[in-house]
Amino acid sequence: MPDSTLRPLKVSLIAETAKALREGIESGQWQGNLPGERVLCNQWQVSRPTLRAAVDLLRREGWLEVGQGRRTKILVSGVRSGPSVLTVGLLSPEPLESLPPTVMHWVDELRGQLAASGQTLQVTVGRGALAKRARCRRWR
């Protein structure tokens, strides 16, 4: 029987759209400006609010400059070589999809804040992760 604590991580559609945007920018698919919202929404089959949230995430990360009535300007060019990405862990006793919507909102906001500072969020699910005798590493 498979271990129920090992599950694929669910990522938000916003995070996946932002990842696709980053990859397109890094590969040189777009230079100077991003295509319009309608083009990207149709290409990836995502809603405008999802695309706008992903673009805003990249804006906060310093990849894009967004202005009302103007095309979205790409601020980085070509292959981005920077420091390695840091990963922050989150322990949850229950799968994220079974938690209340407000908690999911907080987790998505945390992902966005971490991404803005060059970090990622890894969620580990399982009651054993929060057991009394589980060993934790404390920072001093």
Side-chain angles (χ1 to χ4, degrees):
M1 183 169 171
D3 184 358
S4 63
T5 61
L6 299 176
R7 294 184 183 168
L9 297 178
K10 290 193 176 207
V11 294
S12 73
L13 187 55
I14 294 169
E16 285 298 307
T17 304
K19 180 181 174 185
L21 284 168
R22 273 188 221 95
E23 289 172 357
I25 292 168
E26 286 180 334
S27 71
Q29 180 178 357
W30 309 296
Q31 296 176 359
N33 297 304
L34 284 181
E37 282 183 348
R38 287 184 186 159
V39 172
L40 292 173
C41 287
N42 287 335
Q43 180 180 347
W44 293 330
Q45 296 295 300
V46 296
S47 67
R48 287 175 70 192
T50 297
L51 179 65
R52 286 180 178 173
V55 166
D56 186 56
L57 179 62
L58 267 65
R59 179 194 58 80
R60 290 182 297 183
E61 292 176 6
W63 288 70
L64 302 172
E65 181 181 298
V66 180
Q68 186 175 0
R70 296 185 327 213
R71 293 185 66 191
T72 301
K73 184 177 179 181
I74 298 171
L75 300 177
V76 296
S77 60
V79 177
R80 186 174 166 121
S81 60
S84 61
V85 176
L86 299 174
T87 301
V88 174
L90 173 67
L91 302 176
S92 174
E94 302 292 331
L96 291 182
E97 61 271 8
S98 69
L99 297 175
T102 53
V103 174
M104 287 303 300
H105 174 73
W106 293 337
V107 171
D108 283 341
E109 182 62 27
L110 177 60
R111 277 192 179 117
Q113 294 292 323
L114 290 170
S117 64
Q119 300 174 351
T120 60
L121 179 67
Q122 180 178 348
V123 179
T124 302
V125 177
R127 293 197 179 272
L130 300 176
K132 275 187 173 180
R133 294 185 169 218
R135 290 184 175 214
C136 294
R137 182 173 160 188
R138 299 188 111 191
W139 296 95
R140 296 179 189 221

